[in-house]
Amino acid sequence: MASAVSQDERGPLLGGALADAAELAALEEAAARLRRHPGFRAALAEYCRGMSSPARIDWPVYKLFDQIGRYVVCYMLIHNYYAWIAGAGTAPTLTALQKVCGVSARQAAGFVAALKSGRLIITEPSPDDRRVKHLRPAPPMIAEIGRSARLFIAASDGLGGKGGGRATLLADNHDLLGDVIRRSAAYVLAHGTIIHPFPRVLHFAQRDSGYLLLTAVFAAHFGRLAPSAVEDSLSYRQLARRFQVSAAHIGSLMNEAQREGWFHTDGRGRLAGVAPDFVDEFEQWASWQMVHCTSLIEAALAAFDTAPLVEVRVPDVPAAG
């Protein structure tokens, strides 16, 4: 296991990938079982459609959450608040956030100001010193930052035959989702990230709307493989409207992917092909996330009063398929 360091010494993206061989082997073993499930690609298609669908918030959240640096500021803000609530962290102040968010103090302060203006953060006086302001994430922010985790849990639970109970619970209980995010961030701070072993996924996550575009591409890819094939449009204009960026930016991302041989369209808004090794990378990334997020919800439910309402068990995944 990579040695844990204090949060003051690194941001979550600077810790690098998971380093412990046994931990990686256990993660991949569980993830490989999911990938062998005959319904895996259909479940992944639903995840991708959920991620690439329009946000439910009218304020331009894609300008805030669609790039990994800004996403991590929100992710760590949620972590800090719920760690403090759980008695496992310091007060959730701007200073505390600046130490762990992986961007400069000035960038973090400016971004927090934008989140406040959009009413995605609520400032509250410290009970110990009213001059000190705590940063509390508003439920819509928790819902958007936790969307990927919730959808991965829904996919994993569907494969395990558990239905959508836990994902529905996360959609209805922002404190439970916040605790899942806290546990995920704590894991990253202690052990390293899960995204770094997947360089092309990371590459898109570092671009404005890049990961959202990637999920739209894979929604189209997996949709074509379904028994009743679905043709998802990848029109630059439609994607630009959906992700609140310019069509030129979408075109730049698409053209880069075509130059690199990752994927390409037919010029009429339809997917023409994805490199097989990129499909493998995305499927492995997604299966790792399903395993990771499932472990988080199980731990969170065990600590919440709502735990008896939801059955928690390891997915029964076929050994081959």
Side-chain angles (χ1 to χ4, degrees):
M1 181 181 300
S3 59
V5 299
S6 73
Q7 292 186 9
D8 291 356
E9 292 175 324
R10 74 178 187 197
L13 292 181
L14 302 180
L18 294 174
D20 181 73
E23 190 170 356
L24 281 169
L27 177 60
E28 171 54 20
E29 181 181 2
R33 291 202 306 273
L34 289 174
R35 295 197 300 273
R36 289 193 294 268
H37 193 292
F40 175 74
R41 287 183 168 177
L44 189 48
E46 286 302 307
Y47 165 82
C48 290
R49 290 195 185 95
M51 280 303 296
S52 58
S53 64
R56 295 182 179 181
I57 305 175
D58 290 335
W59 209 60
V61 292
Y62 286 126
K63 292 295 183 184
L64 300 177
F65 302 152
D66 64 358
Q67 196 263 358
I68 198 166
R70 296 189 291 271
Y71 175 91
V72 168
V73 175
C74 301
Y75 177 76
M76 295 311 303
L77 188 151
I78 295 168
H79 165 273
N80 286 1
Y81 179 77
Y82 283 97
W84 174 68
I85 290 292
T90 59
T93 63
L94 175 60
T95 299
L97 177 64
Q98 288 168 328
K99 292 178 180 179
V100 298
C101 67
V103 301
S104 73
R106 181 177 178 181
Q107 287 175 313
F111 188 44
V112 165
L115 292 168
K116 288 180 185 176
S117 71
R119 297 194 291 253
L120 295 171
I121 291 178
I122 301 162
T123 57
E124 300 175 328
S126 166
D128 300 320
D129 184 347
R130 297 187 64 82
R131 295 171 299 177
V132 176
K133 302 301 181 184
H134 290 177
L135 303 178
R136 177 163 68 89
M141 174 174 149
I142 297 170
E144 282 302 315
I145 293 298
R147 189 189 335 189
S148 183
R150 176 176 57 80
L151 291 171
F152 274 131
I153 289 166
S156 177
D157 282 359
L159 295 175
K162 290 196 287 291
R166 298 198 294 196
T168 300
L169 191 59
L170 287 170
D172 294 339
N173 188 331
H174 67 268
D175 285 329
L176 178 60
L177 183 56
D179 190 60
V180 166
I181 295 169
R182 171 185 75 85
R183 292 171 187 275
S184 177
Y187 182 89
V188 168
L189 286 166
H191 306 300
T193 74
I194 292 178
I195 197 170
H196 275 80
F198 306 99
R200 284 171 288 193
V201 177
L202 176 62
H203 174 83
F204 279 94
Q206 291 171 329
R207 305 289 298 277
D208 285 349
S209 295
Y211 185 71
L212 302 177
L213 173 63
L214 189 62
T215 59
V217 168
F218 276 105
H221 171 72
F222 293 122
R224 296 192 311 173
L225 302 178
S228 52
V230 177
E231 282 286 348
D232 295 81
S233 173
L234 296 178
S235 158
Y236 292 6
R237 289 186 179 181
Q238 290 182 20
L239 292 173
R241 284 196 298 269
R242 190 189 313 173
F243 301 146
Q244 301 174 21
V245 295
S246 69
H249 177 67
I250 295 294
S252 175
L253 293 174
M254 288 289 204
N255 291 336
E256 179 186 28
Q258 181 167 340
R259 286 195 307 271
E260 296 292 338
W262 297 337
F263 56 80
H264 63 285
T265 63
D266 63 0
R268 298 189 299 274
R270 293 191 295 269
L271 183 66
V274 184
D277 63 336
F278 197 5
V279 175
D280 292 343
E281 179 180 324
F282 190 80
E283 289 183 349
Q284 187 177 24
W285 147 257
S287 63
W288 280 28
Q289 282 292 313
M290 289 179 194
V291 172
H292 174 64
C293 293
T294 297
S295 70
L296 299 174
I297 185 61
E298 289 175 352
L301 285 172
F304 265 66
D305 292 338
T306 49
L309 300 178
V310 181
E311 179 186 5
V312 178
R313 63 182 176 86
V314 177
D316 183 15
V317 181

